[in-house]
């Protein structure tokens, strides 16, 4: 099935969906690999459902294009990936409660530890089961979120962990606060001191990593043995000093579901916070803050319709919002609307949305809920869809997504026709 402008991928149960271009993901990974060189590993950060892109839908593309690890924040994210493919190498960068440690061994998940007690509990469990648990160790060099403080006692405890019989210490890492060059250097120096102290005790940990997306682009010296590439995978630029010509992979789309005529002086939406200053055509769009669109964009958000930016009017509802059609009198029911684009063809990029909201790009994409299905495209062909329940269904080119997902033939839905005379509500 080929995706063409204005067409609706077959089999979707909503006309609001998120399209992920896997070619962009692969392209970005190739640039990251070229940037790092062959000796630096890439940990692809897919926490928060791959920053809203759907971790299950992009995992294979990441690993096929240079990723060495899939990095998540919590156990549930790791288990979901492992249930799709046990061969996925998955690192949990956050902490897991000891009572949940059996899942780590069951699924061969790499766990971060930052206390001796955690390591002892995991080592004891692994010994009882007869396996080795894989871990990374977290060091706190000033972020003060997680990690061993870089003290003499901590060095001794880390060395003790490395000598445990049923733990395999594959890596050790810290996180930069990224305030400025001086603080970055201070944190890096502390991390190097930890490495030197451990080596002095005969401890050699194979993978040392400190750089996230920003640091890996802006500070080449911090790439070390591995980088943790997050936003740059998805084409989201947060770096300032370096250069990487990445491409945004995500487009958020919907269609006009209703059009009504509002008289001058009449209000729209809750509390009538917007009133028409003249007779105005208003369109309703079937998306809202329950889909992850920021409610704070009321009266300042815009979407793109027929290549033009049109304003959202009134308070954004949980499931719907309204736009003013004054600039697009040709608009009709069923017309495609781009909520988030890449900045081309009049669309609002995720960066612009973040600026309007007063937040960062990661916040915008990671708040996207699972309710809008994710449609995965490669070479202009739909190859998979992840539905609102998080289930990933794959299809081969030429096979309808409806058939792949077990839904009835959606051809009539895909070619849905709208009759403005019948469907448009007009107050007389």
């Amino acid at each position: 099935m080929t995706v063409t402008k204005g067409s609706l991928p077959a089999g979707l149960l909503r006309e609001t969906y998120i399209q992920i271009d896997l070619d962009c993901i692969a392209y970005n990974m190739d640039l990251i690999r070229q940037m790092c060189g062959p000796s630096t590993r890439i940990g692809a950060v897919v926490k928060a459902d791959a920053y809203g892109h759907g971790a299950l839908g992009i995992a294979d593309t990441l690993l096929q294009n240079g990723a060495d690890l899939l990095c998540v924040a919590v156990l549930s994210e790791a288990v979901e990936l492992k249930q799709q493919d046990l061969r996925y190498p998955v690192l949990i960068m956050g902490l897991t409660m000891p009572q949940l440690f059996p899942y780590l061994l069951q699924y061969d998940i790499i766990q971060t530890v930052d206390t001796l007690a955690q390591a002892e509990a995991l080592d004891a469990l692994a010994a009882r089961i007869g396996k080795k648990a894989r871990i990374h160790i977290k060091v706190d060099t000033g972020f003060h979120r997680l990690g061993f403080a870089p003290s003499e006692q901590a060095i001794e405890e880390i060395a003790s962990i490395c000598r445990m019989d049923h733990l395999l210490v594959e890596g050790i890492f810290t996180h930069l606060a990224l305030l400025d060059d001086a603080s970055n250097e201070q944190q890096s120096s502390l991390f190097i001191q930890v490495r030197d102290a451990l080596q002095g005790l005969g401890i050699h940990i194979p993978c040392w990593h400190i750089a996230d997306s920003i640091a890996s682009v802006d500070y080449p010296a911090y790439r070390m043995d591995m980088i943790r590439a997050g936003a740059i995978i998805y084409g989201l630029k947060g770096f300032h000093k370096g250069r990487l010509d990445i491409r945004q992979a995500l487009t958020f789309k919907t269609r006009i579901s209703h059009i009504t005529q509002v008289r001058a002086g009449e209000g729209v939406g809750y509390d009538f916070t917007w009133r028409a200053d003249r007779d105005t055509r208003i369109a309703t769009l079937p998306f809202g803050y329950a889909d992850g669109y920021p409610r704070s964009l009321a009266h300042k958000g815009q979407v793109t319709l027929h290549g033009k930016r049109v304003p959202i009017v009134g308070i954004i509802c949980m499931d719907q919002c309204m736009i003013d059609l004054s600039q697009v009198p040709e608009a009709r029911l069923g017309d495609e609307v781009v909520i988030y684009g890449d900045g081309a063809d009049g669309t609002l990029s995720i960066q612009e949305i973040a600026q309007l909201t007063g937040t960062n790009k990661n916040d915008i994409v990671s708040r996207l809920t699972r309710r809008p299905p994710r449609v995965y495209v490669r070479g202009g062909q739909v190859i998979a869809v992840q539905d609102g329940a998080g289930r990933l269904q794959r299809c081969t080119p030429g096979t309808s997504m409806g058939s792949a997902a077990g839904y009835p033939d959606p051809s009539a839905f895909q070619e849905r026709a709208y009759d403005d005379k019948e469907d448009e509500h007009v107050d007389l």
Side-chain angles (χ1 to χ4, degrees), residues 279-402:
D279 291 355
T280 306
R281 284 177 86 219
I282 297 293
T284 299
L285 305 179
F287 78 93
Y289 60 81
D291 298 299
Y293 190 80
R295 190 173 184 268
S296 60
L297 287 180
H299 303 297
K300 55 184 177 182
Q302 295 176 312
V303 296
T304 305
L305 173 62
H306 293 188
K308 297 178 182 178
R309 295 187 178 189
V310 298
I312 293 175
V313 298
I315 291 175
I316 293 162
C317 307
M318 181 179 287
D319 314 299
Q320 300 173 88
C321 64
M322 285 69 77
I323 59 173
D324 182 348
L325 296 180
S326 297
Q327 300 176 60
V328 279
E330 72 276 18
R332 295 292 182 266
L333 288 171
D335 284 354
E336 183 179 85
V337 174
V338 178
I339 306 165
Y340 301 162
D342 62 3
D345 301 321
T347 62
L348 280 82
S349 68
I350 292 168
Q351 172 66 28
E352 289 180 273
I353 294 293
Q355 290 172 342
L356 283 172
T357 313
T359 187
N360 68 6
K361 300 175 296 300
N362 295 353
D363 180 21
I364 294 299
V365 291
S366 63
R367 72 168 65 190
L368 290 168
T369 68
R370 282 192 168 178
R371 192 167 71 168
R374 271 60 168 175
V375 174
Y376 296 94
V377 178
R378 179 183 293 127
Q381 300 283 326
V382 175
I383 65 164
V385 65
Q386 182 173 301
D387 64 21
R391 296 168 298 195
L392 185 70
Q393 301 288 342
R394 304 179 190 275
C395 72
T396 55
T399 302
S400 78
M401 288 306 303

Side-chain angles (χ1 to χ4, degrees), residues 66-296:
D68 298 285
L69 278 179
L70 300 176
C71 304
V72 299
V74 296
L75 177 64
S76 58
E77 295 173 332
V79 169
E80 182 178 57
L81 284 164
K82 285 288 192 174
Q83 287 178 339
Q84 175 162 288
D85 192 332
L86 279 171
R87 296 170 298 178
Y88 288 161
V90 181
L91 165 66
I92 299 175
M93 298 182 294
L95 302 182
T96 297
M97 294 183 290
Q99 58 264 41
L100 298 176
F101 282 174
Y103 288 98
L104 304 176
L105 295 165
Q106 177 183 349
Y107 288 104
D108 191 28
I109 295 166
I110 309 165
Q111 176 61 50
T112 293
V113 300
D114 75 344
T115 69
L116 180 60
Q118 292 166 355
E120 289 172 338
L122 185 54
D123 180 69
L125 176 64
R128 290 198 300 272
I129 295 176
K131 290 185 175 182
K132 279 203 171 188
R134 303 163 66 190
I135 67 169
H136 280 220
I137 296 170
K138 183 69 178 286
V139 176
D140 179 11
T141 56
F143 203 105
H144 296 319
R145 184 170 62 183
L146 297 175
F148 283 95
S151 63
E152 289 186 12
Q153 179 182 345
I155 298 298
E156 293 174 0
E157 290 179 349
I158 292 172
S160 176
I161 291 171
C162 292
R163 296 185 182 112
M164 292 181 181
D165 292 334
H166 293 86
L167 295 185
L168 183 59
V169 182
E170 298 184 349
I172 185 167
F173 68 107
T174 192
H175 201 300
L176 297 172
L178 295 170
L179 171 62
D180 52 34
D181 290 355
S183 64
N184 292 339
E185 182 58 32
Q186 183 179 30
Q187 286 189 258
S188 175
S189 295
L190 284 172
F191 196 45
I192 297 301
Q193 289 173 28
V194 171
R195 184 180 66 184
D196 292 344
L198 288 172
Q199 289 179 346
L201 295 174
I203 301 297
H204 298 278
I205 299 173
C207 183
W208 290 72
H209 49 111
I210 190 173
D212 65 354
S213 285
I214 295 174
S216 65
V217 178
D218 285 349
Y219 303 97
Y222 295 155
R223 291 172 191 162
M224 302 185 78
D225 299 310
M226 186 176 82
I227 67 165
R228 302 184 298 272
I232 53 177
I233 288 172
Y234 312 105
L236 305 176
K237 298 179 181 179
F239 46 86
H240 303 288
K241 297 183 178 184
R243 180 178 177 84
L244 200 64
D245 295 323
I246 49 181
R247 299 173 180 172
Q248 184 177 304
L250 182 150
T251 307
F252 193 8
K253 300 180 180 181
T254 192
R255 286 173 179 262
I256 295 176
S257 60
H258 181 76
I259 296 176
T260 190
Q261 188 76 23
V262 175
R263 295 192 184 98
E266 290 184 332
V268 170
Y270 288 112
D271 300 329
F272 291 160
T273 58
W274 184 90
R275 290 183 181 272
D277 58 8
R278 62 186 182 281
D279 291 355
T280 306
R281 284 177 86 219
I282 297 293
T284 299
L285 305 179
F287 78 93
Y289 60 81
D291 298 299
Y293 190 80
R295 190 173 184 268
S296 60

